[in-house]
């Protein structure tokens, strides 16, 4: 029975009773570093799914109150790394009128096999010593008022632009690359994953946390088990035409899983039918974990917190600015009061990648709405309120409010001296390109003083209008691009640096008519697209089993 990560068939295969997929080979670093390797020896590597990130949110909560009891001991358990190691221009969110800012933490699950324990749990002995992939990626967003929280998963095979990154441990430099997002960890560590997320979403990410196979099992044991539910008997096992599986075997109904069985639940993909459905199963587990901890009074039970803190700090690698129990304690204190009905689990809206049906890309408009809600701190659930423009500064993606930039940024060069290429990107899967669209906007720009604006003959379909400028021009190039954006009403959050050699205005399918970019409706609380597959922590659901894996 063949099936793909996205929707059915498979070009990857599992063996040995544990999930195994074809792993992309790491690209050799520029400058002769040893971060690369042939694609051949990377093929067949086993990959984990988003189980790791589930543990991480509990670590944040679990360390609250326990840290000071074993302060030095626990501090010694924590491994640390550089927060950012890639090219990104996203700025930290400005505080609201009450001095509050949202909190964003990137949760990463590594498929590392570089320990005996991880090899035992994840297989793949031939991959020991190789750089891991970031097969689990979730963004935990906590609102500025600390009254709601959101978790966004991005499927591991989503194709994105990975920026130029420098590995902080080796100094190896990796050039920018358009490829699937789980390669980021191999191209500069967790800090490269963080930079990729920031560029994709426009959301400033305060910290990252990473965990591996062994950490999941240790945490599941420390918690004492988490209830999960299936609507039919499930056995994720090898089948004809589809090797491998997690080994999960349960009868229909509710079960409490822990240790290795919890890991099996979180790694199961084939029995649910797709990788996005695996994310849903993981969200169910995460929600059940939060409910379990609250029911156990884990946040006030010192002994239980000590066990969680011991397991958690050993499992974690964190960005250096939160590399002590004190910082983890402070994070936990900010999070533990969020009610379960205001914790929303989601998956990035996606569509099949037109270049490779086994990969995904963000779904136009729906993904943009989700990113805007995160940037503007708009609650995913209807109980919240959007930040007031009168009482808060611009979101990190909004950038300088005028073309002249901020007090420290340079002024834009005179419009008459700027070369601007205008591209007609109005075509989409549903609609043909609007004829002469680039020429029409060139005329508008010339009327506004950009006399060197020209229409490009190359079609480049793009869902969202954007203005790009050469990275090599730095802050001056950004100021120039902002002046172009301002002339036609494009938000500054849609201005970005690229490797191109000229400033370019690409007219997307979101601007098919008119001489000014249409004003975008600001999202309100609860405006989350249905394609985000949202689930709140107070909801208790059961997973449907893909028919071939029922018994």
């Amino acid at each position: 029975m063949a099936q793909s990560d996205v929707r059915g068939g498979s070009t990857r295969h599992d063996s040995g009773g544990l999930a195994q997929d074809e792993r992309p080979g790491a690209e050799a670093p520029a400058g002769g570093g040893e971060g690369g390797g042939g694609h051949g020896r990377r093929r067949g590597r086993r990959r984990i799914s988003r189980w790791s990130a589930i543990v991480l949110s509990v670590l944040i909560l679990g360390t609250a109150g326990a840290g000071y009891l074993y302060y030095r001991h626990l501090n010694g358990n924590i491994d640390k790394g550089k927060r950012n190691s890639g090219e990104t221009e996203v700025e930290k969110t400005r505080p609201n009128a009450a001095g509050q800012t949202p909190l964003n933490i990137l949760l990463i699950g590594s498929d590392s096999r570089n320990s005996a324990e991880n090899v035992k749990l994840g297989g793949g002995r031939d991959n020991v010593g190789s750089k891991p992939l970031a097969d689990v990626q979730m963004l935990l967003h906590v609102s500025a008022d600390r009254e709601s929280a959101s978790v966004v998963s991005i499927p591991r095979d989503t194709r994105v632009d990975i920026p130029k990154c420098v590995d902080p441990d080796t100094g190896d430099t990796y050039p920018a690359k358009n490829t699937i997002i789980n390669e980021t960890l191999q191209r500069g560590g967790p800090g490269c994953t963080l930079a990729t997320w920031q560029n994709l979403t426009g959301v400033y990410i305060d910290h990252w946390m990473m965990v591996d196979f062994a950490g999941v099992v240790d945490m599941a044991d420390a918690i004492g088990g988490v209830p999960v539910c299936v609507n039919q008997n499930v056995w994720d096992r090898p089948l004809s035409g589809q090797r491998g599986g997690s080994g999960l075997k349960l009868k229909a109904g509710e079960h409490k899983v822990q240790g290795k069985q919890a890991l099996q639940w979180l790694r199961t993909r084939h029995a649910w039918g797709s990788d996005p459905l695996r994310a849903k199963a993981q969200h169910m587990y995460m929600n059940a974990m939060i409910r379990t901890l609250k029911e156990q009074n884990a946040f006030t039970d010192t002994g239980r917190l000590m066990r969680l803190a011991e397991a958690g700090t050993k499992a974690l690698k964190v960005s250096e600015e939160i590399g002590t129990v004190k910082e983890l304690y402070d994070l936990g204190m900010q999070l533990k009061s969020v009610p379960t009905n205001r914790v929303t689990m989601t998956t990035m809206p996606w569509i099949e990648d037109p270049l490779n049906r086994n990969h995904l890309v963000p779904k136009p408009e729906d993904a943009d709405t989700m990113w805007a809600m995160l940037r503007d701190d708009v609650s995913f659930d209807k109980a919240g309120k959007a930040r007031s423009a009168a009482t808060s500064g611009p979101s990190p993606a909004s950038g300088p409010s005028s073309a002249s930039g901020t007090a420290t940024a340079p002024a834009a060069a005179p419009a008459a001296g700027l070369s601007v290429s205008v591209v007609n990107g109005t075509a989409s899967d549903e609609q043909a390109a609007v004829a002469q669209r680039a020429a029409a906007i060139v005329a508008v720009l010339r009327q506004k003083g950009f006399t060197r604006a020209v229409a490009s003959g190359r079609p480049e379909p793009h869902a969202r209008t954007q203005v790009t400028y050469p990275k090599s021009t730095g802050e001056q190039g950004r100021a120039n691009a902002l002046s172009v954006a301002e002339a036609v009403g494009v938000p500054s959050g849609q201005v970005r640096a690229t490797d191109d050699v000229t400033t370019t205005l690409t007219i997307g399918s979101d601007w098919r008519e008119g001489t000014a970019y249409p004003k975008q409706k600001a999202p309100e609380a609860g405006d989350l697209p249905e394609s985000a597959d949202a689930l709140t922590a107070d909801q208790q659901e059961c997973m449907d089993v893909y028919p071939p894996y029922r018994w």
Side-chain angles (χ1 to χ4, degrees):
M1 298 290 178
Q3 70 187 91
S4 81
D5 287 350
V6 178
R7 58 176 191 177
S10 177
T11 57
R12 301 185 180 88
H13 302 283
D14 295 349
S15 63
L18 290 168
Q20 176 179 350
D21 294 302
E22 177 183 320
R23 291 167 44 122
E27 180 174 312
E34 296 182 357
H39 285 275
R41 67 185 180 87
R42 300 253 189 248
R43 297 179 64 87
R45 290 188 176 182
R46 296 179 175 89
R47 294 169 24 190
I48 65 171
S49 63
R50 279 171 279 288
W51 50 262
S52 311
I54 295 169
V55 169
L56 294 172
S57 66
V58 179
L59 300 179
I60 299 168
L61 298 170
T63 53
Y68 295 109
L69 299 175
Y70 289 115
Y71 187 77
R72 292 185 178 179
H73 168 69
L74 295 178
N75 277 348
N77 288 344
I78 302 172
D79 194 8
K80 294 171 285 200
K82 188 174 181 179
R83 175 190 162 273
N84 174 39
S85 58
E87 290 186 344
T88 177
E89 299 178 344
V90 178
E91 298 178 357
K92 188 172 179 64
T93 310
R94 299 180 187 179
N96 60 20
Q100 303 166 314
T101 57
L103 176 65
N104 295 297
I105 304 172
L106 183 61
L107 312 174
I108 303 171
S110 158
D111 73 345
S112 173
R113 292 347 190 255
N114 294 328
S115 74
E117 184 71 10
N118 283 331
V119 169
K120 179 181 178 181
L121 294 169
R125 296 178 184 276
D126 55 325
N127 297 319
V128 173
S130 300
K131 287 190 173 184
L133 293 167
D135 279 340
V136 180
Q137 299 182 37
M138 292 182 179
L139 180 65
L140 170 63
H141 171 87
V142 187
S143 63
D145 60 15
R146 302 302 188 257
E147 293 182 1
S148 67
S150 308
V151 174
V152 179
S153 298
I154 291 185
R156 66 188 182 185
D157 287 340
T158 301
R159 182 167 59 84
V160 298
D161 290 325
I162 301 176
K164 175 183 176 182
C165 294
V166 178
D167 190 314
D169 296 325
T170 66
D172 293 335
T173 298
Y174 296 84
K177 184 179 181 182
N178 181 265
T179 188
I180 58 176
I181 198 167
N182 73 342
E183 286 192 36
T184 53
L185 198 59
Q186 295 183 330
R187 303 178 64 81
C192 187
T193 307
L194 180 144
T196 302
W197 270 76
Q198 286 198 164
N199 293 346
L200 175 66
T201 65
V203 176
Y204 180 87
I205 301 175
D206 301 276
H207 319 293
W208 56 258
M209 294 181 170
M210 185 169 68
V211 74
D212 58 19
F213 285 139
V216 174
V217 173
D218 291 344
M219 282 301 300
D221 289 342
I223 292 165
V226 173
V228 298
C229 181
V230 288
N231 286 321
Q232 302 87 18
N233 294 350
V234 59
W235 187 6
D236 193 43
R237 65 199 188 280
L239 297 177
S240 176
Q242 183 64 69
R243 294 181 295 163
S246 70
L248 179 71
K249 189 175 185 180
L250 298 172
K251 290 186 176 181
E254 184 174 295
H255 303 268
K256 180 174 283 190
V257 296
Q258 64 185 97
K260 188 171 183 178
Q261 193 174 45
L263 182 60
Q264 290 174 334
W265 173 274
L266 297 167
R267 296 184 66 198
T268 293
R269 178 179 80 256
H270 300 311
W272 309 140
S274 71
D275 198 46
L277 284 174
R278 170 165 54 185
K280 184 175 183 178
Q282 292 162 351
H283 294 160
M284 289 179 182
Y285 181 97
M286 193 171 185
N287 287 337
M289 183 182 291
I290 293 172
R291 293 194 300 269
T292 298
L293 289 170
K294 287 183 177 289
E295 291 168 1
Q296 295 174 341
N297 294 318
F299 305 119
T300 57
D301 183 337
T302 301
R304 184 176 297 276
L305 285 173
M306 287 167 58
R307 291 191 294 274
L308 289 170
E310 183 72 28
T313 54
K314 286 181 178 178
L316 274 177
K317 181 172 183 178
V318 303
S319 51
E320 56 196 358
E321 73 286 346
I322 54 169
T324 69
V325 172
K326 170 70 166 61
E327 276 88 18
L328 293 177
Y329 170 86
D330 290 341
L331 289 179
M333 292 304 291
Q334 295 181 62
L335 284 168
K336 70 176 185 178
S337 61
V338 178
T340 55
N341 66 341
R342 305 235 25 226
V343 179
T344 306
M345 310 287 171
T346 66
T347 300
M348 176 199 74
W350 56 269
I351 59 175
E352 184 180 285
D353 184 353
L355 302 182
N356 185 333
R357 69 181 305 272
N358 292 297
H359 295 164
L360 310 174
V361 292
K363 184 177 183 180
E365 297 184 8
D366 284 9
D368 288 340
T369 296
M370 174 178 277
W371 308 148
M373 294 178 76
L374 291 171
R375 290 194 300 265
D376 295 336
D377 197 26
V378 179
S379 173
F380 280 10
D381 66 277
K382 294 183 181 297
K385 296 180 180 179
R387 293 199 308 167
S388 169
T391 58
S392 64
S395 71
S398 62
S401 59
S402 70
S404 61
T406 62
T408 58
L418 296 179
S419 296
V420 183
S421 177
V422 181
V423 176
N424 185 350
T426 56
S428 68
D429 291 339
E430 296 80 22
Q431 303 177 90
V434 177
Q436 299 298 310
R437 188 68 180 136
I441 301 305
V442 164
V444 174
L445 287 172
R446 288 180 176 176
Q447 289 175 0
K448 298 199 175 199
F450 295 89
T451 56
R452 298 178 63 185
V454 296
S456 169
R458 60 186 174 95
E460 188 175 314
H462 209 280
R464 193 182 191 204
T465 297
Q466 65 178 19
V467 180
T468 59
Y469 64 94
K471 290 178 181 177
S472 59
T473 58
E475 288 299 316
Q476 183 61 63
R478 178 171 175 79
N480 296 344
L482 286 168
S483 70
V484 175
E486 186 177 55
V488 290
V490 176
S492 57
Q494 290 165 226
V495 176
R496 56 190 293 265
T498 67
D499 292 322
D500 292 341
V501 296
T502 187
T503 299
T504 302
L505 166 60
T506 302
I507 308 164
S509 58
D510 59 347
W511 187 17
R512 295 177 61 83
E513 59 184 14
T515 57
Y517 186 69
K519 188 175 182 179
Q520 305 298 298
K521 176 184 176 292
E524 299 177 357
D527 277 354
L528 197 66
E530 290 187 11
S531 55
D533 200 16
L535 183 71
T536 57
D538 63 334
Q539 293 177 267
Q540 301 184 39
E541 297 187 9
C542 297
M543 284 297 295
D544 281 321
V545 179
Y546 187 51
Y549 293 90
R550 299 175 186 176
W551 62 281

